[in-house]
Amino acid sequence: DAGVTQSPTHLIKTRGQQVTLRCSPKSGHDTVSWYQQALGQGPQFIFQYYEEEERQRGNFPDRFSGHQFPNYSSELNVNALLLGDSALYLCASSALAGGPAEQYFGPGTRLTVT
Amino acid sequence: KQEVTQIPAALSVPEGENLVLNCSFTDSAIYNLQWFRQDPGKGLTSLLLIQSSQREQTSGRLNASLDKSSGRSTLYIAASQPGDSATYLCAVGGGSNYQLIWGAGTKLIIKP
């Protein structure tokens, strides 16, 4: 079992550009959540996808969007990048099973915006 | 609004000591609580998951307790080792709210 995988590992972008991050969930999981973690802070919830739809969203602007594919993998897109978007982006997968379940995290994508 | 606090923010102890990390939350209507470990620049490793109906969970040298009525959880690490050095985060899962609410973490350093 490969666990949760994310790509790329690191990314450097310029202000105003757009970025796409990718996540493959753990085998048997149907739900993907995305989190942003700034240096020295706990992760902040961006959104969660289930059955190819955004199920819940945190306090992030519309510049942050996502998608879930039929194979349960997911993408996080960020438009019009700002310096403040520099962070570790974490993907977590879970088996929804009707309620909050244990979440398994990938290694993250380190995004640097210059 | 659920808020999660972890105290202390940093802790340095000699190898071999037993230690306790604290996590408090403001809303007792939680579904579960997870403790994670994060090494510098790395992702999160789940250590223990406690469902709201449980009082504690154990894995090896780790024991996590949950007291919903007082809004507290503790992570007990026995016989600490230098390899335990990392940041430890707790995260609370709420009722119909599927997101995890996180503390800022406790940075633990175990001195050889």
Side-chain angles (χ1 to χ4, degrees):
Chain A
D1 183 2
V4 180
T5 60
Q6 292 186 244
S7 62
T9 304
H10 295 89
L11 206 50
I12 300 175
K13 289 287 189 178
T14 303
R15 276 179 299 175
Q17 286 188 319
Q18 178 264 345
V19 67
T20 297
L21 311 182
R22 295 176 176 82
C23 171
S24 291
K26 183 179 171 66
S27 177
H29 287 183
D30 56 9
T31 302
V32 173
S33 302
W34 287 92
Y35 293 83
Q36 179 195 67
Q37 186 180 25
L39 202 60
Q41 298 182 21
Q44 298 292 316
F45 176 75
I46 303 175
F47 40 55
Q48 183 182 87
Y49 276 83
Y50 172 66
E51 293 188 339
E52 301 180 49
E53 291 192 0
E54 184 182 291
R55 184 181 185 92
Q56 194 169 71
R57 187 180 184 92
N59 189 26
F60 278 80
D62 292 344
R63 298 187 297 109
F64 290 77
S65 64
H67 188 76
Q68 186 178 35
F69 299 93
N71 67 353
Y72 307 121
S73 66
S74 177
E75 288 182 350
L76 164 64
N77 300 293
V78 187
N79 294 323
L81 284 167
L82 304 174
L83 294 179
D85 295 332
S86 295
L88 181 67
Y89 288 84
L90 296 161
C91 168
S93 73
S94 58
L96 193 60
E102 184 172 9
Q103 297 195 16
Y104 293 79
F105 283 79
T109 293
R110 172 72 62 185
L111 173 64
T112 302
V113 182
T114 62
Chain B
K1 176 186 173 184
Q2 179 74 271
E3 294 182 359
V4 180
T5 304
Q6 291 187 247
I7 295 174
L11 181 63
S12 180
V13 301
E15 178 180 4
E17 283 199 3
N18 303 323
L19 56 97
V20 174
L21 306 181
N22 297 295
C23 172
S24 61
F25 46 94
T26 55
D27 186 350
S28 62
I30 68 171
Y31 192 86
N32 56 33
L33 185 146
Q34 279 186 259
W35 281 94
F36 292 87
R37 168 187 174 137
Q38 186 171 36
D39 293 290
K42 303 294 185 182
L44 297 161
T45 301
S46 180
L47 298 173
L48 290 164
L49 168 71
I50 310 178
Q51 302 291 354
S52 62
S53 58
Q54 298 174 320
R55 296 282 294 183
E56 65 178 337
Q57 283 286 342
T58 298
S59 176
R61 295 183 294 108
L62 306 179
N63 176 277
S65 68
L66 175 64
D67 184 344
K68 283 201 313 178
S69 62
S70 66
R72 291 183 179 183
S73 176
T74 61
L75 179 66
Y76 174 83
I77 302 176
S80 58
Q81 303 170 358
D84 295 330
S85 297
T87 296
Y88 291 80
L89 297 109
C90 71
V92 170
S96 61
N97 186 342
Y98 295 105
Q99 65 175 286
L100 293 176
I101 308 296
W102 298 78
T106 294
K107 183 176 182 179
L108 177 64
I109 297 174
I110 307 299
K111 297 174 290 185

